[in-house]
Amino acid sequence: MKSTELRKLSDEQLAQKLEDGRAELFNLRFQMATSQLDNTARVTTVKRDIARVQTEMRARQIAAQSK
């Protein structure tokens, strides 16, 4: 997911995206540990998506504090 798409989401939707991403990362790690994961690049993609969501959430928090 791109940063521009994340900026359009509400705070609740961002929190849901973060929760979904963390759950998916957990499942991917579990699959990797049991040698069932075919696409290992998906782990990196999910980590980056989580980081993007957290960055947008933090930017909104800073913007709210500065007002």
Side-chain angles (χ1 to χ4, degrees):
M1 178 165 270
K2 294 187 177 185
S3 301
T4 55
E5 296 171 1
L6 290 176
R7 289 187 190 109
K8 296 176 184 176
L9 299 178
S10 68
D11 292 339
E12 295 82 19
Q13 289 172 326
L14 279 176
Q16 184 62 41
K17 286 276 186 194
L18 183 61
E19 184 180 327
D20 293 345
R22 286 182 174 163
E24 184 178 359
L25 183 60
F26 175 80
N27 289 331
L28 288 172
R29 285 182 175 157
F30 192 84
Q31 288 176 6
M32 191 182 308
T34 58
S35 300
Q36 294 178 348
L37 185 61
D38 294 331
N39 185 7
T40 56
R42 182 73 182 135
V43 174
T44 305
T45 305
V46 171
K47 282 183 180 180
R48 286 183 181 168
D49 287 343
I50 291 171
R52 284 186 186 109
V53 170
Q54 288 177 328
T55 301
E56 180 60 29
M57 290 175 81
R58 180 66 179 146
R60 289 182 185 190
Q61 183 183 22
I62 291 171
Q65 288 176 352
S66 67
K67 287 185 178 180

